[in-house]
Amino acid sequence: TCIFAVQDNGRGICPEDLRRLVQELSAVDDAARDGIGLFNVHQRVVLERGPGCGITTLQSVEGEYTRIVLRV
């Protein structure tokens, strides 16, 4: 197992959008998602490496940072 943590110091994600993104990562229904980027990465890792892998953490503070943890 390898864990990657990527963090930036950009504008962050507003709380409402962050909640939506977290929900979309666990959604089974394609219609429940607005975008494909994060979900695409998450699903590819899960399919290749199995359950328990993929994006495990998505944190953000608007105006400060965004942090994503990916387990492969």
Side-chain angles (χ1 to χ4, degrees):
T1 300
C2 186
I3 297 175
F4 295 93
V6 179
Q7 182 170 324
D8 70 17
N9 61 349
R11 62 185 179 117
I13 303 170
C14 72
E16 298 80 28
D17 289 345
L18 184 60
R19 278 191 294 277
R20 181 183 49 79
L21 285 170
V22 170
Q23 289 175 347
E24 288 178 4
L25 284 176
S26 61
V28 176
D29 182 12
D30 286 339
R33 285 187 293 281
D34 284 336
I36 60 169
L38 289 176
F39 181 77
N40 189 337
V41 170
H42 176 71
Q43 274 304 106
R44 286 173 184 264
V45 173
V46 170
L47 289 171
E48 180 67 29
R49 305 295 287 179
C53 292
I55 295 174
T56 60
T57 305
L58 180 56
Q59 301 170 318
S60 189
V61 174
E62 191 171 16
E64 293 186 26
Y65 72 92
T66 298
R67 182 173 192 259
I68 297 173
V69 177
L70 179 70
R71 181 182 178 142
V72 294

Short mmCIF file of all heavy atoms in Angstrom, two decimals:
data_model
loop_
_atom_site.label_atom_id
_atom_site.label_comp_id
_atom_site.label_asym_id
_atom_site.label_seq_id
_atom_site.Cartn_x
_atom_site.Cartn_y
_atom_site.Cartn_z
N THR A 1 0.83 -1.18 0.00
CA THR A 1 0.00 0.00 0.00
C THR A 1 0.88 1.24 0.00
O THR A 1 1.87 1.30 0.71
CB THR A 1 -0.91 0.03 1.23
OG1 THR A 1 -1.74 -1.12 1.22
CG2 THR A 1 -1.77 1.27 1.26
N CYS A 2 0.48 2.22 -0.78
CA CYS A 2 1.18 3.50 -0.84
C CYS A 2 0.12 4.60 -0.68
O CYS A 2 -0.96 4.51 -1.26
CB CYS A 2 1.89 3.63 -2.18
SG CYS A 2 2.92 5.09 -2.29
N ILE A 3 0.44 5.59 0.12
CA ILE A 3 -0.49 6.68 0.35
C ILE A 3 0.12 7.97 -0.16
O ILE A 3 1.24 8.33 0.21
CB ILE A 3 -0.85 6.79 1.84
CG1 ILE A 3 -1.55 5.51 2.28
CG2 ILE A 3 -1.73 8.02 2.10
CD1 ILE A 3 -1.84 5.44 3.75
N PHE A 4 -0.63 8.65 -1.02
CA PHE A 4 -0.22 9.94 -1.57
C PHE A 4 -1.11 11.02 -0.97
O PHE A 4 -2.33 10.87 -0.97
CB PHE A 4 -0.38 9.99 -3.09
CG PHE A 4 0.50 9.05 -3.83
CD1 PHE A 4 0.06 7.78 -4.17
CD2 PHE A 4 1.79 9.43 -4.19
CE1 PHE A 4 0.88 6.91 -4.86
CE2 PHE A 4 2.61 8.56 -4.87
CZ PHE A 4 2.15 7.29 -5.21
N ALA A 5 -0.51 12.07 -0.47
CA ALA A 5 -1.28 13.22 0.01
C ALA A 5 -0.84 14.42 -0.83
O ALA A 5 0.34 14.72 -0.93
CB ALA A 5 -1.01 13.49 1.48
N VAL A 6 -1.82 15.07 -1.43
CA VAL A 6 -1.55 16.25 -2.27
C VAL A 6 -2.33 17.41 -1.66
O VAL A 6 -3.53 17.31 -1.42
CB VAL A 6 -2.00 16.00 -3.73
CG1 VAL A 6 -1.75 17.24 -4.57
CG2 VAL A 6 -1.31 14.78 -4.30
N GLN A 7 -1.60 18.50 -1.42
CA GLN A 7 -2.23 19.67 -0.84
C GLN A 7 -1.77 20.91 -1.59
O GLN A 7 -0.61 21.01 -1.98
CB GLN A 7 -1.86 19.79 0.64
CG GLN A 7 -2.51 20.96 1.33
CD GLN A 7 -2.33 20.93 2.83
OE1 GLN A 7 -2.34 19.87 3.43
NE2 GLN A 7 -2.17 22.09 3.43
N ASP A 8 -2.70 21.85 -1.79
CA ASP A 8 -2.32 23.11 -2.41
C ASP A 8 -2.70 24.26 -1.47
O ASP A 8 -3.36 24.05 -0.46
CB ASP A 8 -2.96 23.27 -3.78
CG ASP A 8 -4.46 23.48 -3.74
OD1 ASP A 8 -5.01 23.82 -2.68
OD2 ASP A 8 -5.10 23.31 -4.79
N ASN A 9 -2.25 25.42 -1.81
CA ASN A 9 -2.59 26.60 -1.02
C ASN A 9 -3.44 27.56 -1.85
O ASN A 9 -3.34 28.77 -1.72
CB ASN A 9 -1.33 27.30 -0.51
CG ASN A 9 -0.43 27.78 -1.63
OD1 ASN A 9 -0.63 27.43 -2.79
ND2 ASN A 9 0.56 28.57 -1.29
N GLY A 10 -4.31 26.97 -2.67
CA GLY A 10 -5.17 27.75 -3.54
C GLY A 10 -6.39 28.29 -2.82
O GLY A 10 -6.40 28.43 -1.60
N ARG A 11 -7.43 28.53 -3.57
CA ARG A 11 -8.62 29.18 -3.01
C ARG A 11 -9.52 28.24 -2.21
O ARG A 11 -10.48 28.67 -1.59
CB ARG A 11 -9.42 29.85 -4.11
CG ARG A 11 -9.95 28.92 -5.16
CD ARG A 11 -10.63 29.72 -6.26
NE ARG A 11 -11.11 28.82 -7.27
CZ ARG A 11 -12.38 28.66 -7.58
NH1 ARG A 11 -13.30 29.38 -6.98
NH2 ARG A 11 -12.74 27.81 -8.52
N GLY A 12 -9.24 26.94 -2.23
CA GLY A 12 -10.05 26.00 -1.47
C GLY A 12 -11.41 25.76 -2.11
O GLY A 12 -11.71 26.26 -3.19
N ILE A 13 -12.23 25.01 -1.42
CA ILE A 13 -13.56 24.64 -1.90
C ILE A 13 -14.57 25.05 -0.83
O ILE A 13 -14.36 24.77 0.35
CB ILE A 13 -13.65 23.12 -2.15
CG1 ILE A 13 -12.58 22.67 -3.14
CG2 ILE A 13 -15.04 22.72 -2.63
CD1 ILE A 13 -12.44 21.17 -3.25
N CYS A 14 -15.65 25.69 -1.24
CA CYS A 14 -16.66 26.11 -0.27
C CYS A 14 -17.30 24.87 0.37
O CYS A 14 -17.33 23.79 -0.23
CB CYS A 14 -17.71 27.01 -0.92
SG CYS A 14 -18.85 26.18 -2.03
N PRO A 15 -17.78 24.98 1.60
CA PRO A 15 -18.32 23.83 2.32
C PRO A 15 -19.42 23.07 1.57
O PRO A 15 -19.45 21.84 1.60
CB PRO A 15 -18.86 24.43 3.62
CG PRO A 15 -18.05 25.67 3.82
CD PRO A 15 -17.77 26.18 2.44
N GLU A 16 -20.30 23.78 0.89
CA GLU A 16 -21.39 23.12 0.16
C GLU A 16 -20.84 22.25 -0.97
O GLU A 16 -21.27 21.11 -1.16
CB GLU A 16 -22.38 24.15 -0.41
CG GLU A 16 -23.09 24.99 0.62
CD GLU A 16 -22.24 26.15 1.14
OE1 GLU A 16 -21.36 26.64 0.40
OE2 GLU A 16 -22.44 26.56 2.29
N ASP A 17 -19.89 22.81 -1.73
CA ASP A 17 -19.29 22.05 -2.83
C ASP A 17 -18.47 20.87 -2.31
O ASP A 17 -18.46 19.80 -2.91
CB ASP A 17 -18.41 22.94 -3.70
CG ASP A 17 -19.22 23.92 -4.53
OD1 ASP A 17 -20.45 23.74 -4.66
OD2 ASP A 17 -18.62 24.89 -5.05
N LEU A 18 -17.80 21.05 -1.18
CA LEU A 18 -17.02 19.97 -0.59
C LEU A 18 -17.93 18.81 -0.19
O LEU A 18 -17.63 17.65 -0.47
CB LEU A 18 -16.22 20.48 0.61
CG LEU A 18 -15.28 19.48 1.26
CD1 LEU A 18 -14.23 18.98 0.28
CD2 LEU A 18 -14.63 20.10 2.48
N ARG A 19 -19.05 19.11 0.46
CA ARG A 19 -20.01 18.06 0.83
C ARG A 19 -20.51 17.32 -0.42
O ARG A 19 -20.61 16.10 -0.43
CB ARG A 19 -21.19 18.65 1.59
CG ARG A 19 -20.92 18.87 3.05
CD ARG A 19 -22.19 19.20 3.83
NE ARG A 19 -22.76 20.49 3.46
CZ ARG A 19 -22.37 21.65 3.94
NH1 ARG A 19 -21.39 21.70 4.81
NH2 ARG A 19 -22.94 22.77 3.57
N ARG A 20 -20.81 18.07 -1.47
CA ARG A 20 -21.29 17.47 -2.70
C ARG A 20 -20.23 16.54 -3.31
O ARG A 20 -20.53 15.43 -3.73
CB ARG A 20 -21.69 18.55 -3.71
CG ARG A 20 -22.24 18.00 -5.02
CD ARG A 20 -22.55 19.11 -6.02
NE ARG A 20 -21.48 20.06 -6.20
CZ ARG A 20 -20.39 19.86 -6.95
NH1 ARG A 20 -20.23 18.72 -7.57
NH2 ARG A 20 -19.47 20.78 -7.07
N LEU A 21 -18.97 16.99 -3.33
CA LEU A 21 -17.89 16.16 -3.89
C LEU A 21 -17.72 14.87 -3.10
O LEU A 21 -17.55 13.80 -3.68
CB LEU A 21 -16.58 16.95 -3.90
CG LEU A 21 -16.44 18.01 -4.96
CD1 LEU A 21 -15.21 18.87 -4.69
CD2 LEU A 21 -16.37 17.40 -6.35
N VAL A 22 -17.76 14.96 -1.78
CA VAL A 22 -17.62 13.77 -0.95
C VAL A 22 -18.77 12.80 -1.23
O VAL A 22 -18.56 11.59 -1.36
CB VAL A 22 -17.54 14.15 0.55
CG1 VAL A 22 -17.65 12.93 1.43
CG2 VAL A 22 -16.25 14.90 0.83
N GLN A 23 -19.98 13.31 -1.35
CA GLN A 23 -21.13 12.46 -1.67
C GLN A 23 -20.99 11.83 -3.05
O GLN A 23 -21.33 10.66 -3.24
CB GLN A 23 -22.43 13.26 -1.58
CG GLN A 23 -22.82 13.63 -0.19
CD GLN A 23 -24.04 14.53 -0.14
OE1 GLN A 23 -24.48 15.08 -1.16
NE2 GLN A 23 -24.59 14.70 1.05
N GLU A 24 -20.51 12.59 -4.01
CA GLU A 24 -20.36 12.08 -5.37
C GLU A 24 -19.33 10.95 -5.44
O GLU A 24 -19.48 10.03 -6.23
CB GLU A 24 -19.96 13.20 -6.33
CG GLU A 24 -21.09 14.16 -6.61
CD GLU A 24 -20.69 15.30 -7.52
OE1 GLU A 24 -19.54 15.32 -8.00
OE2 GLU A 24 -21.53 16.18 -7.77
N LEU A 25 -18.30 11.00 -4.61
CA LEU A 25 -17.29 9.93 -4.62
C LEU A 25 -17.89 8.59 -4.22
O LEU A 25 -17.44 7.55 -4.67
CB LEU A 25 -16.12 10.28 -3.69
CG LEU A 25 -15.15 11.30 -4.22
CD1 LEU A 25 -14.10 11.61 -3.16
CD2 LEU A 25 -14.47 10.84 -5.50
N SER A 26 -18.92 8.62 -3.38
CA SER A 26 -19.52 7.36 -2.94
C SER A 26 -20.80 7.01 -3.71
O SER A 26 -21.39 5.97 -3.47
CB SER A 26 -19.83 7.42 -1.44
OG SER A 26 -20.74 8.47 -1.17
N ALA A 27 -21.21 7.86 -4.64
CA ALA A 27 -22.44 7.62 -5.40
C ALA A 27 -22.25 6.49 -6.40
O ALA A 27 -21.22 6.37 -7.05
CB ALA A 27 -22.87 8.89 -6.13
N VAL A 28 -23.27 5.65 -6.49
CA VAL A 28 -23.26 4.56 -7.46
C VAL A 28 -23.89 5.01 -8.76
O VAL A 28 -23.46 4.62 -9.85
CB VAL A 28 -24.04 3.34 -6.89
CG1 VAL A 28 -24.12 2.22 -7.92
CG2 VAL A 28 -23.39 2.87 -5.61
N ASP A 29 -24.86 5.89 -8.67
CA ASP A 29 -25.60 6.38 -9.82
C ASP A 29 -24.83 7.49 -10.53
O ASP A 29 -24.48 8.50 -9.92
CB ASP A 29 -26.96 6.90 -9.35
CG ASP A 29 -27.83 7.40 -10.49
OD1 ASP A 29 -27.51 7.15 -11.66
OD2 ASP A 29 -28.86 8.04 -10.18
N ASP A 30 -24.55 7.31 -11.83
CA ASP A 30 -23.83 8.32 -12.60
C ASP A 30 -24.56 9.66 -12.63
O ASP A 30 -23.94 10.71 -12.71
CB ASP A 30 -23.62 7.85 -14.05
CG ASP A 30 -22.54 6.79 -14.16
OD1 ASP A 30 -21.70 6.69 -13.23
OD2 ASP A 30 -22.52 6.07 -15.17
N ALA A 31 -25.88 9.63 -12.56
CA ALA A 31 -26.67 10.86 -12.61
C ALA A 31 -26.46 11.70 -11.36
O ALA A 31 -26.77 12.89 -11.34
CB ALA A 31 -28.14 10.53 -12.79
N ALA A 32 -25.92 11.11 -10.30
CA ALA A 32 -25.72 11.83 -9.03
C ALA A 32 -24.46 12.69 -9.06
O ALA A 32 -24.18 13.40 -8.11
CB ALA A 32 -25.65 10.84 -7.88
N ARG A 33 -23.70 12.62 -10.15
CA ARG A 33 -22.43 13.37 -10.23
C ARG A 33 -22.51 14.49 -11.26
O ARG A 33 -23.07 14.34 -12.32
CB ARG A 33 -21.30 12.42 -10.61
CG ARG A 33 -20.87 11.53 -9.48
CD ARG A 33 -19.64 10.75 -9.87
NE ARG A 33 -19.91 9.79 -10.92
CZ ARG A 33 -20.49 8.61 -10.72
NH1 ARG A 33 -20.86 8.26 -9.53
NH2 ARG A 33 -20.68 7.79 -11.72
N ASP A 34 -21.85 15.61 -10.90
CA ASP A 34 -21.76 16.74 -11.84
C ASP A 34 -20.52 16.63 -12.71
O ASP A 34 -20.54 16.94 -13.87
CB ASP A 34 -21.71 18.07 -11.09
CG ASP A 34 -23.07 18.48 -10.55
OD1 ASP A 34 -24.07 18.03 -11.10
OD2 ASP A 34 -23.09 19.24 -9.58
N GLY A 35 -19.40 16.21 -12.12
CA GLY A 35 -18.14 16.15 -12.85
C GLY A 35 -17.61 14.73 -12.89
O GLY A 35 -18.22 13.81 -12.36
N ILE A 36 -16.43 14.56 -13.53
CA ILE A 36 -15.88 13.21 -13.64
C ILE A 36 -14.45 13.09 -13.12
O ILE A 36 -13.98 12.00 -12.87
CB ILE A 36 -15.91 12.72 -15.11
CG1 ILE A 36 -15.10 13.63 -16.01
CG2 ILE A 36 -17.33 12.56 -15.59
CD1 ILE A 36 -14.87 13.08 -17.39
N GLY A 37 -13.74 14.21 -12.92
CA GLY A 37 -12.32 14.17 -12.61
C GLY A 37 -11.96 13.35 -11.38
O GLY A 37 -11.27 12.34 -11.47
N LEU A 38 -12.39 13.80 -10.20
CA LEU A 38 -12.04 13.08 -8.97
C LEU A 38 -12.63 11.68 -8.96
O LEU A 38 -11.97 10.72 -8.54
CB LEU A 38 -12.52 13.86 -7.75
CG LEU A 38 -11.77 15.14 -7.41
CD1 LEU A 38 -12.43 15.84 -6.23
CD2 LEU A 38 -10.32 14.83 -7.11
N PHE A 39 -13.89 11.55 -9.38
CA PHE A 39 -14.52 10.24 -9.39
C PHE A 39 -13.79 9.29 -10.32
O PHE A 39 -13.59 8.11 -9.99
CB PHE A 39 -15.99 10.34 -9.80
CG PHE A 39 -16.68 9.01 -9.78
CD1 PHE A 39 -17.08 8.45 -8.59
CD2 PHE A 39 -16.91 8.32 -10.96
CE1 PHE A 39 -17.69 7.20 -8.56
CE2 PHE A 39 -17.52 7.07 -10.94
CZ PHE A 39 -17.92 6.51 -9.74
N ASN A 40 -13.34 9.78 -11.47
CA ASN A 40 -12.62 8.96 -12.43
C ASN A 40 -11.35 8.39 -11.80
O ASN A 40 -11.07 7.19 -11.88
CB ASN A 40 -12.29 9.79 -13.66
CG ASN A 40 -11.72 8.97 -14.80
OD1 ASN A 40 -11.16 7.90 -14.61
ND2 ASN A 40 -11.83 9.50 -16.00
N VAL A 41 -10.57 9.25 -11.15
CA VAL A 41 -9.34 8.80 -10.49
C VAL A 41 -9.68 7.79 -9.40
O VAL A 41 -9.06 6.72 -9.30
CB VAL A 41 -8.57 10.00 -9.90
CG1 VAL A 41 -7.43 9.54 -9.00
CG2 VAL A 41 -8.05 10.90 -11.01
N HIS A 42 -10.66 8.11 -8.57
CA HIS A 42 -11.07 7.23 -7.48
C HIS A 42 -11.48 5.85 -8.00
O HIS A 42 -10.98 4.82 -7.53
CB HIS A 42 -12.21 7.88 -6.69
CG HIS A 42 -12.77 7.02 -5.61
ND1 HIS A 42 -12.07 6.74 -4.46
CD2 HIS A 42 -13.95 6.37 -5.52
CE1 HIS A 42 -12.80 5.95 -3.70
NE2 HIS A 42 -13.95 5.72 -4.31
N GLN A 43 -12.35 5.83 -8.98
CA GLN A 43 -12.85 4.55 -9.52
C GLN A 43 -11.75 3.72 -10.17
O GLN A 43 -11.71 2.51 -10.03
CB GLN A 43 -13.97 4.79 -10.54
CG GLN A 43 -15.33 4.92 -9.92
CD GLN A 43 -15.71 3.72 -9.08
OE1 GLN A 43 -15.71 3.81 -7.87
NE2 GLN A 43 -16.03 2.62 -9.69
N ARG A 44 -10.86 4.35 -10.89
CA ARG A 44 -9.76 3.63 -11.53
C ARG A 44 -8.87 2.95 -10.50
O ARG A 44 -8.47 1.80 -10.68
CB ARG A 44 -8.93 4.56 -12.40
CG ARG A 44 -9.62 4.96 -13.69
CD ARG A 44 -8.81 6.02 -14.43
NE ARG A 44 -9.51 6.45 -15.60
CZ ARG A 44 -9.30 5.96 -16.83
NH1 ARG A 44 -8.41 5.02 -17.02
NH2 ARG A 44 -9.98 6.42 -17.85
N VAL A 45 -8.58 3.65 -9.41
CA VAL A 45 -7.75 3.05 -8.36
C VAL A 45 -8.51 1.91 -7.66
O VAL A 45 -7.94 0.85 -7.42
CB VAL A 45 -7.29 4.12 -7.34
CG1 VAL A 45 -6.57 3.48 -6.16
CG2 VAL A 45 -6.38 5.13 -8.03
N VAL A 46 -9.78 2.12 -7.36
CA VAL A 46 -10.58 1.06 -6.72
C VAL A 46 -10.66 -0.17 -7.62
O VAL A 46 -10.48 -1.30 -7.15
CB VAL A 46 -12.00 1.57 -6.37
CG1 VAL A 46 -12.90 0.42 -5.94
CG2 VAL A 46 -11.93 2.62 -5.28
N LEU A 47 -10.89 0.03 -8.90
CA LEU A 47 -10.98 -1.11 -9.82
C LEU A 47 -9.66 -1.86 -9.94
O LEU A 47 -9.63 -3.08 -10.04
CB LEU A 47 -11.44 -0.64 -11.20
CG LEU A 47 -12.90 -0.20 -11.30
CD1 LEU A 47 -13.17 0.45 -12.65
CD2 LEU A 47 -13.83 -1.37 -11.07
N GLU A 48 -8.55 -1.12 -9.92
CA GLU A 48 -7.24 -1.74 -10.08
C GLU A 48 -6.71 -2.34 -8.78
O GLU A 48 -6.13 -3.42 -8.78
CB GLU A 48 -6.25 -0.68 -10.60
CG GLU A 48 -4.85 -1.19 -10.81
CD GLU A 48 -4.71 -2.22 -11.92
OE1 GLU A 48 -5.49 -2.19 -12.89
OE2 GLU A 48 -3.81 -3.07 -11.82
N ARG A 49 -6.92 -1.66 -7.66
CA ARG A 49 -6.30 -2.06 -6.39
C ARG A 49 -7.28 -2.66 -5.39
O ARG A 49 -6.86 -3.22 -4.39
CB ARG A 49 -5.61 -0.86 -5.75
CG ARG A 49 -4.59 -0.18 -6.65
CD ARG A 49 -3.43 -1.07 -6.98
NE ARG A 49 -2.62 -1.18 -5.77
CZ ARG A 49 -1.52 -1.89 -5.68
NH1 ARG A 49 -1.08 -2.56 -6.70
NH2 ARG A 49 -0.85 -1.93 -4.56
N GLY A 50 -8.60 -2.47 -5.60
CA GLY A 50 -9.58 -3.09 -4.72
C GLY A 50 -10.18 -2.12 -3.71
O GLY A 50 -9.73 -0.98 -3.56
N PRO A 51 -11.21 -2.62 -3.00
CA PRO A 51 -11.87 -1.80 -1.97
C PRO A 51 -10.87 -1.34 -0.91
O PRO A 51 -9.91 -2.03 -0.60
CB PRO A 51 -12.90 -2.75 -1.37
CG PRO A 51 -13.08 -3.83 -2.38
CD PRO A 51 -11.78 -3.95 -3.11
N GLY A 52 -11.10 -0.20 -0.35
CA GLY A 52 -10.18 0.36 0.64
C GLY A 52 -9.15 1.27 0.02
O GLY A 52 -8.43 1.98 0.72
N CYS A 53 -9.05 1.22 -1.30
CA CYS A 53 -8.12 2.10 -2.01
C CYS A 53 -8.92 3.20 -2.69
O CYS A 53 -10.13 3.18 -2.70
CB CYS A 53 -7.31 1.31 -3.03
SG CYS A 53 -6.16 0.16 -2.26
N GLY A 54 -8.23 4.16 -3.25
CA GLY A 54 -8.87 5.29 -3.89
C GLY A 54 -8.71 6.53 -3.04
O GLY A 54 -7.84 6.60 -2.16
N ILE A 55 -9.55 7.52 -3.28
CA ILE A 55 -9.50 8.76 -2.50
C ILE A 55 -10.10 8.46 -1.13
O ILE A 55 -11.27 8.12 -1.01
CB ILE A 55 -10.24 9.90 -3.21
CG1 ILE A 55 -9.53 10.23 -4.53
CG2 ILE A 55 -10.33 11.13 -2.32
CD1 ILE A 55 -10.24 11.25 -5.39
N THR A 56 -9.27 8.57 -0.11
CA THR A 56 -9.73 8.28 1.25
C THR A 56 -10.05 9.53 2.04
O THR A 56 -10.79 9.47 3.01
CB THR A 56 -8.68 7.45 2.02
OG1 THR A 56 -7.46 8.21 2.09
CG2 THR A 56 -8.43 6.13 1.34
N THR A 57 -9.47 10.65 1.65
CA THR A 57 -9.71 11.91 2.36
C THR A 57 -9.78 13.06 1.36
O THR A 57 -8.97 13.13 0.45
CB THR A 57 -8.55 12.20 3.35
OG1 THR A 57 -8.39 11.09 4.22
CG2 THR A 57 -8.81 13.45 4.15
N LEU A 58 -10.76 13.89 1.56
CA LEU A 58 -10.91 15.11 0.76
C LEU A 58 -11.23 16.23 1.74
O LEU A 58 -12.31 16.25 2.34
CB LEU A 58 -12.03 14.94 -0.28
CG LEU A 58 -12.34 16.10 -1.20
CD1 LEU A 58 -11.10 16.54 -1.97
CD2 LEU A 58 -13.44 15.72 -2.17
N GLN A 59 -10.26 17.11 1.96
CA GLN A 59 -10.42 18.20 2.93
C GLN A 59 -10.18 19.53 2.22
O GLN A 59 -9.36 19.60 1.31
CB GLN A 59 -9.39 18.10 4.06
CG GLN A 59 -9.46 16.83 4.84
CD GLN A 59 -8.27 16.70 5.78
OE1 GLN A 59 -7.15 17.01 5.41
NE2 GLN A 59 -8.53 16.25 6.99
N SER A 60 -10.85 20.55 2.68
CA SER A 60 -10.62 21.87 2.11
C SER A 60 -11.15 22.93 3.05
O SER A 60 -12.15 22.72 3.74
CB SER A 60 -11.30 22.00 0.75
OG SER A 60 -10.91 23.20 0.13
N VAL A 61 -10.45 24.04 3.09
CA VAL A 61 -10.91 25.23 3.80
C VAL A 61 -10.90 26.35 2.77
O VAL A 61 -9.85 26.65 2.18
CB VAL A 61 -10.01 25.57 5.00
CG1 VAL A 61 -10.44 26.90 5.62
CG2 VAL A 61 -10.04 24.46 6.03
N GLU A 62 -12.07 26.90 2.54
CA GLU A 62 -12.20 27.94 1.53
C GLU A 62 -11.26 29.10 1.84
O GLU A 62 -11.18 29.58 2.97
CB GLU A 62 -13.65 28.43 1.47
CG GLU A 62 -13.94 29.30 0.29
CD GLU A 62 -15.42 29.61 0.13
OE1 GLU A 62 -16.20 29.40 1.08
OE2 GLU A 62 -15.78 30.07 -0.95
N GLY A 63 -10.51 29.50 0.83
CA GLY A 63 -9.56 30.58 0.98
C GLY A 63 -8.20 30.17 1.52
O GLY A 63 -7.31 30.99 1.66
N GLU A 64 -8.03 28.86 1.83
CA GLU A 64 -6.77 28.41 2.43
C GLU A 64 -6.10 27.26 1.68
O GLU A 64 -4.96 27.37 1.27
CB GLU A 64 -6.98 28.02 3.88
CG GLU A 64 -7.34 29.20 4.76
CD GLU A 64 -7.41 28.82 6.22
OE1 GLU A 64 -6.73 27.86 6.63
OE2 GLU A 64 -8.15 29.49 6.96
N TYR A 65 -6.79 26.13 1.54
CA TYR A 65 -6.15 24.95 0.94
C TYR A 65 -7.17 23.89 0.53
O TYR A 65 -8.33 23.93 0.95
CB TYR A 65 -5.16 24.31 1.93
CG TYR A 65 -5.83 23.60 3.08
CD1 TYR A 65 -6.13 22.24 2.98
CD2 TYR A 65 -6.19 24.26 4.23
CE1 TYR A 65 -6.76 21.57 4.02
CE2 TYR A 65 -6.82 23.60 5.27
CZ TYR A 65 -7.10 22.26 5.16
OH TYR A 65 -7.73 21.61 6.19
N THR A 66 -6.69 22.94 -0.24
CA THR A 66 -7.40 21.70 -0.52
C THR A 66 -6.40 20.56 -0.37
O THR A 66 -5.26 20.69 -0.81
CB THR A 66 -8.00 21.69 -1.95
OG1 THR A 66 -8.94 22.76 -2.05
CG2 THR A 66 -8.70 20.37 -2.26
N ARG A 67 -6.82 19.47 0.26
CA ARG A 67 -5.95 18.31 0.49
C ARG A 67 -6.71 17.04 0.10
O ARG A 67 -7.84 16.84 0.52
CB ARG A 67 -5.55 18.24 1.96
CG ARG A 67 -4.61 17.09 2.28
CD ARG A 67 -4.13 17.22 3.72
NE ARG A 67 -3.05 16.32 3.97
CZ ARG A 67 -3.18 15.15 4.61
NH1 ARG A 67 -4.35 14.77 5.04
NH2 ARG A 67 -2.13 14.38 4.79
N ILE A 68 -6.04 16.23 -0.71
CA ILE A 68 -6.61 14.95 -1.14
C ILE A 68 -5.63 13.85 -0.78
O ILE A 68 -4.43 13.96 -1.05
CB ILE A 68 -6.88 14.95 -2.66
CG1 ILE A 68 -7.91 16.01 -3.01
CG2 ILE A 68 -7.33 13.57 -3.13
CD1 ILE A 68 -8.13 16.22 -4.48
N VAL A 69 -6.14 12.79 -0.16
CA VAL A 69 -5.31 11.63 0.18
C VAL A 69 -5.79 10.47 -0.68
O VAL A 69 -6.99 10.16 -0.71
CB VAL A 69 -5.38 11.29 1.68
CG1 VAL A 69 -4.58 10.04 1.99
CG2 VAL A 69 -4.91 12.47 2.51
N LEU A 70 -4.85 9.84 -1.36
CA LEU A 70 -5.14 8.73 -2.29
C LEU A 70 -4.36 7.50 -1.83
O LEU A 70 -3.15 7.56 -1.67
CB LEU A 70 -4.73 9.12 -3.70
CG LEU A 70 -4.93 8.08 -4.79
CD1 LEU A 70 -6.41 7.90 -5.07
CD2 LEU A 70 -4.20 8.51 -6.06
N ARG A 71 -5.08 6.42 -1.61
CA ARG A 71 -4.44 5.15 -1.20
C ARG A 71 -4.43 4.20 -2.38
O ARG A 71 -5.47 3.91 -2.97
CB ARG A 71 -5.22 4.55 -0.04
CG ARG A 71 -4.67 3.27 0.48
CD ARG A 71 -5.55 2.74 1.58
NE ARG A 71 -5.01 1.48 2.04
CZ ARG A 71 -4.99 1.07 3.28
NH1 ARG A 71 -5.49 1.84 4.21
NH2 ARG A 71 -4.48 -0.09 3.59
N VAL A 72 -3.24 3.70 -2.73
CA VAL A 72 -3.10 2.75 -3.84
C VAL A 72 -2.39 1.50 -3.40
O VAL A 72 -1.72 1.47 -2.40
CB VAL A 72 -2.38 3.36 -5.05
CG1 VAL A 72 -3.20 4.45 -5.66
CG2 VAL A 72 -1.01 3.87 -4.70
#
